[in-house]
Amino acid sequence: MNSEQQAKVDELSHLNDDMRNFLNSTEVATIFLDSKLNIRRFANASSKLFKLIPSDVGRPLTDIVNGLSYPELTDDAEAVLRTLVYSEKQVTTNDGRWFSVRIMPYRTVSDVIDGVVITMTGYRQWKSFGTRNCCWFTRVG
């Protein structure tokens, strides 16, 4: 391998490291699926909602046990692939936590749709705060 090729390999390795560190530092559960809804990559935070381990890469999402009360997740992911319109829903987990689940088309650099990206952002504190304090805001406002 010549020095130019080695420089490209090193750059890709650094970009991969940057991506992994970014995904894991955000603490947003993120799962990348290919066009057949197989696991392509996932952030560590995803393992709190899905029983994911590194060897699950390549497996269908439907094979992975998760703690979301969201039985239509796979259907929604398929709909996003079909229509290219993102989906966003507020769902609970089996233990009562709330998450905003967003499913977006996965676009390559050349603008080809090659799967979906699922992000799950927790907002339990805000949801319970809003439920407890909705009337207070109404009375004061």
Side-chain angles (χ1 to χ4, degrees):
M1 185 180 308
N2 67 32
S3 62
E4 187 176 318
Q5 289 173 326
Q6 185 60 49
K8 291 287 185 187
V9 168
D10 290 345
E11 181 181 359
L12 287 174
S13 178
H14 289 297
L15 286 171
N16 191 37
D17 290 342
D18 289 347
M19 174 74 159
R20 185 177 321 272
N21 279 287
F22 173 74
L23 284 173
N24 292 330
S25 70
T26 63
E27 295 188 19
V28 173
T30 306
I31 301 175
F32 296 87
L33 304 176
D34 65 19
S35 58
K36 295 180 181 176
L37 302 185
N38 295 324
I39 307 289
R40 176 179 282 151
R41 177 187 300 251
F42 59 90
N44 289 347
S46 305
S47 297
K48 295 176 184 173
L49 297 170
F50 287 76
K51 302 289 186 193
L52 286 165
I53 56 175
S55 61
D56 287 330
V57 171
R59 291 184 61 200
L61 180 65
T62 54
D63 284 1
I64 310 300
V65 174
N66 71 74
L68 296 175
S69 297
Y70 187 9
E72 61 277 354
L73 175 64
T74 302
D75 292 337
D76 288 351
E78 289 171 344
V80 168
L81 271 175
R82 192 174 52 258
T83 65
L84 305 182
V85 176
Y86 81 92
S87 168
E88 186 166 7
K89 293 185 177 178
Q90 284 66 47
V91 301
T92 60
T93 59
N94 298 336
D95 61 4
R97 295 175 292 153
W98 283 90
F99 284 84
S100 176
V101 178
R102 177 178 277 192
I103 307 170
M104 306 264 312
Y106 178 99
R107 294 181 187 274
T108 65
V109 173
S110 52
D111 204 29
V112 173
I113 304 304
D114 192 26
V116 296
V117 179
I118 302 172
T119 57
M120 293 148 285
T121 308
Y123 64 99
R124 180 176 149 192
Q125 298 88 349
W126 289 109
K127 188 72 171 180
S128 62
F129 176 82
T131 302
R132 284 193 320 265
N133 295 299
C134 67
C135 299
W136 181 82
F137 285 119
T138 303
R139 285 193 305 262
V140 172

